Amino acid sequence: MHQPAIPHLALADPDIAGLVEAEARRQFEKVRLIASENYVSPAVLEATGTVLTNKYSEGYPGRRYYEGQQNVDPVELLAVDRAKALFGVEHANVQPYSGAPANLAVYLAFAQPGDTIMGMALPMGGHLTHGWSVSASGKWFNAVRYSVRADGPDAGRADLDEVRELALKERPKLIFCGGTAIPRTIDFPAFAEIARESGAVLVADVAHIAGLIAGGAHPSPVGYADVISTTTHKTLRGPRGAMLMSTAEHATAIDKAVFPGLQGGPHDHTTAAIAVALREASTSEFSAYAHQIVANAKALAEALLERGFDLVSGGTDNHLILVDLTGKGVAGKPAARALDRAGIELNYNTVPFDPRKPFDPSGVRLGTAAITTRGLTPELMPRIADWIDQAVQAAAKEDDAALDGIAAQVRELLAAYPMPGWAQTP
Ligand SMILES: *Cc1c(COP(=O)(O)O)cnc(C)c1O
């Protein structure tokens, strides 16, 4: 049963309640390896479901356009103060609705339409909003894109020589580092040096790794990046939302870009839940969690390598593993679909220099943030790698019975690992 219980919803709208219950059960029964997902705590879930959703509060604490901010102002101030303390930044804005709008606000703050901006290309592991052609960032700006190295000992890692060359030639207003399928540590000092040499504002988009940074399991961009953009719902384990952090110098530009530049009223229930998540993330338990995410990812990468899987960059430093399935004789999409049937949920993904199309690419992407929240440990990773291996083989043979057999074993294992948001009823 969903936790907290949803009796009013069940009465008022059995259709939606039924789907929520089914989703909670699905999340309980699957090995959830989607690298951008997690399980939030019951406290974060409760905060998102409060009367704060009834309030309008355009503006910032102490400078609002609506009355009645006696409680909302302190909520937002707590979130801001906790973000500043946790990440050690001078300024934090907790109002962006999500990661993509947060990045759009960064463009609004620092660039004009037609200006040159730079980011990692989407098929190399960057994010849509870092200048990819179908996104506003690629349509409204002259986007220059860098890649990862194709070969050599650093194959699959960001090509910093290319970043420097492109930056000095193109003189972008903004350089984005970070992305959505990067299995290796981001070299913030190197990016900062290039940004300084080329006169660009450096934006570290740490959406995926914010929880690892908060927990001390990945180096921090603070002191290197001018602006830090992050979602709050990936490894940071908060509600769906985002934050922009910066030095004091850029505080006004960021705030004005978020509101009134781009958004209307902030989602105060989300702000409250972000504050709760930030409080959780400042504990020693969370730091242990962040390190365990990495330990699990390294153990899973090792176990996959032992079973003949080809990993982009040869492994991982963080929560994320990018697998090139070419050698296994199956493409990313049918593999992902088969794995889902086998109770292992992940997403198909392009790999660098992918000869296949983005909607039907060669790889799959995995992450360990959610299974680490469930309490799974490195000793269990060979078992998960075995299931992945069997399911990929079954996918190649279209053997659905084998997939259903794996799903049953997955359910049996996971029954012993509780999930926040779900309580098993007798
Ligand atoms: C997830 C992600 C985003 C976008 O976040 P949404 O909340 O989905 O809009 C932006 N940048 C990076 C690097 C991401 O991984």
Side-chain angles (χ1 to χ4, degrees):
M1 207 176 75
H2 192 274
Q3 289 293 314
I6 50 168
H8 300 91
L9 184 57
L11 260 176
D13 193 335
D15 298 334
I16 293 294
L19 290 166
V20 171
E21 288 293 353
E23 174 60 14
R25 173 176 286 282
R26 193 194 67 80
Q27 292 185 13
F28 182 68
E29 292 183 343
K30 289 251 172 92
V31 172
R32 295 176 60 232
L33 294 175
I34 292 181
S36 50
E37 294 185 351
N38 210 328
Y39 296 93
V40 299
S41 71
V44 167
L45 269 186
E46 281 182 7
T48 60
T50 60
V51 294
L52 292 173
T53 199
N54 298 338
K55 190 71 196 104
Y56 244 105
S57 53
E58 282 182 0
Y60 290 100
R63 296 174 282 136
R64 304 283 194 187
Y65 291 82
Y66 293 79
E67 295 310 313
Q69 309 299 340
Q70 292 85 353
N71 307 302
V72 163
D73 271 6
V75 165
E76 185 167 336
L77 286 172
L78 273 172
V80 167
D81 286 346
R82 287 174 185 173
K84 284 159 72 174
L86 180 64
F87 289 96
V89 289
E90 292 171 0
H91 179 67
N93 184 312
V94 297
Q95 293 193 6
Y97 299 141
S98 216
N103 286 345
L104 201 50
V106 174
Y107 290 108
L108 192 59
F110 296 102
Q112 297 291 325
D115 279 352
T116 298
I117 57 103
M118 194 165 120
M120 183 180 260
L122 177 70
M124 298 289 162
H127 191 261
L128 274 169
T129 57
H130 298 181
W132 196 242
S133 52
V134 296
S135 126
S137 63
K139 288 181 191 284
W140 294 346
F141 301 98
N142 171 39
V144 177
R145 304 168 191 117
Y146 57 87
S147 304
V148 297
R149 291 187 193 277
D151 38 42
D154 289 335
R157 297 177 190 241
D159 186 345
L160 288 162
D161 294 331
E162 186 195 14
V163 175
R164 169 173 279 111
E165 233 167 79
L166 279 174
L168 292 176
K169 178 162 155 258
E170 305 280 352
R171 300 278 166 182
K173 280 262 168 63
L174 288 166
I175 297 176
F176 278 82
C177 62
T180 180
I182 301 177
R184 294 297 182 175
T185 300
I186 298 167
D187 190 345
F188 298 121
F191 274 101
E193 199 182 303
I194 294 167
R196 189 158 34 79
E197 283 171 32
S198 58
V201 169
L202 179 64
V203 187
D205 183 347
V206 299
H208 263 269
I209 53 174
L212 304 184
I213 293 167
H218 186 290
S220 168
V222 176
Y224 300 106
D226 302 288
V227 178
I228 300 166
S229 173
T230 186
T231 57
T232 47
H233 48 269
K234 299 178 185 176
T235 53
L236 192 55
R237 210 162 65 180
R240 298 200 89 83
M243 307 194 292
L244 288 170
M245 299 178 277
S246 72
T247 52
E249 183 192 350
H250 299 304
T252 307
I254 296 272
D255 284 355
K256 278 189 173 160
V258 173
F259 176 85
L262 192 66
Q263 299 189 168
H267 295 179
D268 298 318
H269 56 303
T270 300
T271 306
I274 290 174
V276 173
L278 291 168
R279 184 187 171 121
E280 291 173 356
S282 66
T283 59
S284 57
E285 288 84 357
F286 190 89
S287 172
Y289 164 65
H291 286 89
Q292 185 79 325
I293 292 175
V294 177
N296 276 336
K298 283 183 184 294
L300 184 55
E302 199 54 46
L304 288 168
L305 285 170
E306 280 166 12
R307 285 156 186 80
F309 284 90
D310 179 10
L311 309 188
V312 172
S313 83
T316 182
D317 298 328
N318 52 32
H319 66 302
L320 188 145
I321 299 166
L322 195 55
V323 185
D324 185 344
L325 289 171
T326 308
K328 291 282 181 182
V330 61
K333 202 170 181 174
R337 190 164 295 163
L339 281 157
D340 189 59
R341 181 160 181 160
I344 296 165
E345 183 191 7
L346 43 67
N347 66 283
Y348 60 84
N349 214 98
T350 52
V351 296
F353 313 104
D354 203 324
R356 300 177 64 92
K357 298 250 175 345
F359 200 60
D360 184 20
S362 300
V364 290
R365 186 187 70 158
L366 296 70
T368 52
I371 59 170
T372 305
T373 297
R374 288 287 290 268
L376 273 67
T377 47
E379 309 82 75
L380 289 167
M381 296 305 122
R383 212 141 132 210
I384 291 177
D386 265 340
W387 285 330
I388 292 173
D389 194 20
Q390 290 163 18
V392 165
Q393 286 175 34
K397 288 183 276 180
E398 297 184 30
D399 182 353
D400 286 347
L403 297 175
D404 294 343
I406 298 167
Q409 295 175 52
V410 166
R411 276 196 302 276
E412 199 180 306
L413 172 78
L414 289 181
Y417 295 87
M419 158 195 156
W422 166 266
Q424 230 166 347
T425 37

